[in-house]
Amino acid sequence: MAFSSGGRRQAGLAEINITPLVDVVLVLLLIFMLTAPVLQSGIEVAVPQTRAVNQLTEEHSVVTIDADQRVYFQDKPVNLDDLPALVSQGGGDASKRVIYVRADGKVPFEAFASVMDAVKRGGVTNISVVTRPFEQSAGH
């Protein structure tokens, strides 16, 4: 479409400015990247505090034991007898897979040991316990 102004013809500009779109997409990407690790483990568990804590950068299989000793695999409630079959799924060699166990600090050791045993019966030998770091106080 051409416009006429004072005897000159000008072509209409039909370009879309995509800079605001790119800005919005980058902000959304950043938000999803920051919230994805939080969404992975939706069950509220007060894990014990330790001095040595490693940050997780990859998604792994997580077994959770809440304060009422209910067991979850990837945020889905499971029966302890079904846990070995669930952790052995997922392709590849089960002995090379990593399973993270999150347990509430009030869970008795017997329940924790039963879950660890069920994971080992599934063929997984690389088990890590999830903890959180001590809060640094002003006096330390």
Side-chain angles (χ1 to χ4, degrees):
M1 179 189 297
F3 296 104
S4 174
S5 66
R8 296 189 342 224
R9 290 182 59 97
Q10 292 181 333
L13 295 175
E15 295 180 25
I16 297 174
N17 187 0
I18 64 166
T19 304
L21 175 67
V22 171
D23 289 344
V24 169
V25 169
L26 288 176
V27 167
L28 288 174
L29 178 66
L30 183 65
I31 289 170
F32 288 130
M33 286 174 52
L34 293 175
T35 58
V38 175
L39 296 177
Q40 180 184 6
S41 301
I43 295 137
E44 192 65 33
V45 176
V47 295
Q49 294 180 337
T50 59
R51 294 191 194 278
V53 176
N54 294 332
Q55 293 292 337
L56 300 180
T57 56
E58 302 172 5
E59 185 175 326
H60 292 286
S61 299
V62 179
V63 176
T64 304
I65 312 166
D66 67 5
D68 297 324
Q69 298 181 30
R70 291 182 295 238
V71 179
Y72 300 85
F73 181 69
Q74 300 294 75
D75 296 341
K76 294 181 179 72
V78 296
N79 186 335
L80 194 59
D81 296 329
D82 299 333
L83 191 58
L86 290 171
V87 298
S88 65
Q89 295 174 355
D93 187 8
S95 64
K96 294 186 179 173
R97 291 186 53 217
V98 178
I99 297 287
Y100 288 91
V101 177
R102 295 174 63 230
D104 193 279
K106 297 176 181 156
V107 172
F109 182 73
E110 183 177 355
F112 182 78
S114 297
V115 169
M116 296 284 284
D117 180 57
V119 171
K120 287 182 181 179
R121 281 186 286 136
V124 178
T125 57
N126 194 354
I127 304 169
S128 292
V129 179
V130 177
T131 60
R132 60 188 168 105
F134 281 110
E135 272 82 36
Q136 297 295 326
S137 61
H140 290 265

